[in-house]
Structure formats: structure tokens, C-alpha cells
């Protein structure tokens, strides 16, 4: 995996936290596809909103801007978040 060097510190913090915490997205195929319904996205955002790793996850995703999968802070723009609330 090629990683933006600027994202490495954020990835390291997220990876360390993932060793202690299993987030609800683990094993959920909706997070590894680029095609989700509006209902899926709403549910996913609710799951992420309650996730103890949210801040670390957003920090990584907004720095790295991953090309695949669904990431809070990257795939959900502020207008979408408002709509999902
Ligand atoms: S905030 Fe990140 S780690 Fe937590 S459920 Fe969402 S995608 Fe998974």
C-alpha cells in the first residue's frame, strides 16, 4: 500500500488504537465498497459517530484521502453529514 508520508503519523495512531479496540465497522462489507445506498451511508455515519476511534479515523482519512472504501471525514462532506443527522 502506498501511503502519503504525511499520513503516516495519523495511520500509526489509528493502527495502535485498533490493537486495543475493535470498531463496529470491522468485518462490515459496506466499509470496503465504494457503492452504498443513502440508507447505508446514514447507518454507517451513525456507527462512526458512536465510535471511540472516530477522531483518529477522521484524522487519517482526511490526511491520506484513501482511494477506496468508505471513511468518515473523507466520504462524508459537511453537507452530507448535515443531511445524515
Ligand atoms: S470511525 Fe473509523 S474505525 Fe470507527 S466505525 Fe467508523 S470507519 Fe470504523
Amino acid at each position: 500500500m502506498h501511503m502519503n508520508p504525511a499520513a503516516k503519523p495519523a495511520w500509526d495512531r489509528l493502527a495502535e488504537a485498533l490493537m486495543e479496540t475493535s470498531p463496529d465497522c470491522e468485518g462490515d462489507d459496506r466499509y470496503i465498497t465504494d457503492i452504498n445506498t443513502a440508507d447505508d451511508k446514514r447507518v454507517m455515519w451513525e456507527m462512526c459517530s458512536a465510535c471511540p476511534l472516530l477522531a483518529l479515523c477522521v484524522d487519517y482519512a482526511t490526511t491520506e484521502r484513501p482511494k477506496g472504501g468508505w471513511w468518515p471525514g473523507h466520504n462524508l462532506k459537511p453537507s452530507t453529514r448535515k443531511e445524515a443527522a
Side-chain angles (χ1 to χ4, degrees), residues 2-81:
H2 175 72
M3 182 181 295
N4 173 357
K8 178 137 184 0
W11 171 255
D12 288 346
R13 288 191 294 273
L14 178 59
E16 188 178 339
L18 283 165
M19 290 169 61
E20 304 287 326
T21 303
S22 295
D24 287 347
C25 65
E26 202 170 88
D28 188 326
D29 289 345
R30 292 175 296 189
Y31 284 82
I32 57 172
T33 182
D34 295 320
I35 304 169
N36 285 300
T37 66
D39 281 349
D40 283 339
K41 291 177 183 175
R42 190 180 63 251
V43 170
M44 291 157 76
W45 178 241
E46 286 170 5
M47 288 166 61
C48 290
S49 296
C51 178
L53 304 181
L54 177 61
L56 294 172
C57 201
V58 167
D59 193 23
Y60 167 69
T62 53
T63 309
E64 175 64 18
R65 303 189 66 74
K67 302 261 186 304
W70 192 94
W71 294 81
H74 173 50
N75 295 81
L76 285 182
K77 304 293 182 285
S79 60
T80 311
R81 285 188 196 158

